[in-house]
Amino acid sequence: MVFAPEAEAVINGLRSVGIRARLRPMERAAFYKADQDKQFKHLIRVGSGTAGNAATRIEAFVISTGIRSYGGYPDIDSLFRDQAAEMDKKRREAMLTKIQQLMHERAMFAPIVEPSLLIGIGARLAESPTITGHPYLSPYEDLKLKAR
């Protein structure tokens, strides 16, 4: 079964503020099929490792027809279509910023889990070697301290 370790903690947190919720464990294949068919109608926790810029993430998660979207707003959909056709980089950026502002104002997402990466960068580190394509540092053995 697919089971997120933090799921019970989230459910308990929601219950403590008066939101009734229950955990429904499912087999992986059944979960992905139901998610793909958008059969979940209430509260669902879905994570994504989707990479990309703001436009690609907005297209998947915010626009009404997005593969991870459950609903949407017509004005945001039209603003997204307009930015996709816009050739001027500054105007496109302004449109994407407006979409993100509307998402925030309408509370379209409720971040309940913030994954954190253990990264230690300080004045004693000579350089910050990163692994290409990843948001964290290279292995501990590759770190070099400044000479004293």
Side-chain angles (χ1 to χ4, degrees), residues 34-49:
D35 185 38
Q36 180 181 8
D37 294 342
K38 297 186 180 186
Q39 293 177 351
F40 299 118
K41 298 299 178 201
H42 300 287
L43 181 65
I44 181 170
R45 185 219 179 254
V46 178
S48 170

Side-chain angles (χ1 to χ4, degrees), residues 12-116:
N12 291 337
L14 291 171
R15 286 183 183 149
S16 72
V17 295
I19 299 173
R20 292 182 309 163
R22 67 182 173 88
L23 182 61
R24 188 177 79 179
M26 299 176 74
E27 294 292 332
R28 185 181 304 269
F31 172 80
Y32 284 131
K33 178 68 174 151
D35 185 38
Q36 180 181 8
D37 294 342
K38 297 186 180 186
Q39 293 177 351
F40 299 118
K41 298 299 178 201
H42 300 287
L43 181 65
I44 181 170
R45 185 219 179 254
V46 178
S48 170
T50 304
N53 59 16
T56 58
R57 295 185 66 80
I58 287 171
E59 183 176 25
F61 292 93
V62 179
I63 304 308
S64 300
T65 56
I67 76 165
R68 287 269 180 218
S69 174
Y70 281 75
Y73 294 93
D75 58 334
I76 292 178
D77 291 352
S78 67
L79 194 55
F80 182 80
R81 283 190 301 274
D82 293 345
Q83 75 79 30
E86 181 59 53
M87 298 302 286
D88 181 31
K89 184 178 179 179
K90 292 287 185 190
R91 291 180 63 189
R92 189 171 59 247
E93 182 180 347
M95 289 177 181
L96 288 170
T97 301
K98 179 65 176 172
I99 291 171
Q100 291 172 337
Q101 179 183 4
L102 290 170
M103 290 165 46
H104 177 76
E105 289 171 0
R106 295 173 186 177
M108 293 178 73
F109 299 97
I112 55 174
V113 175
E114 183 66 38
S116 62

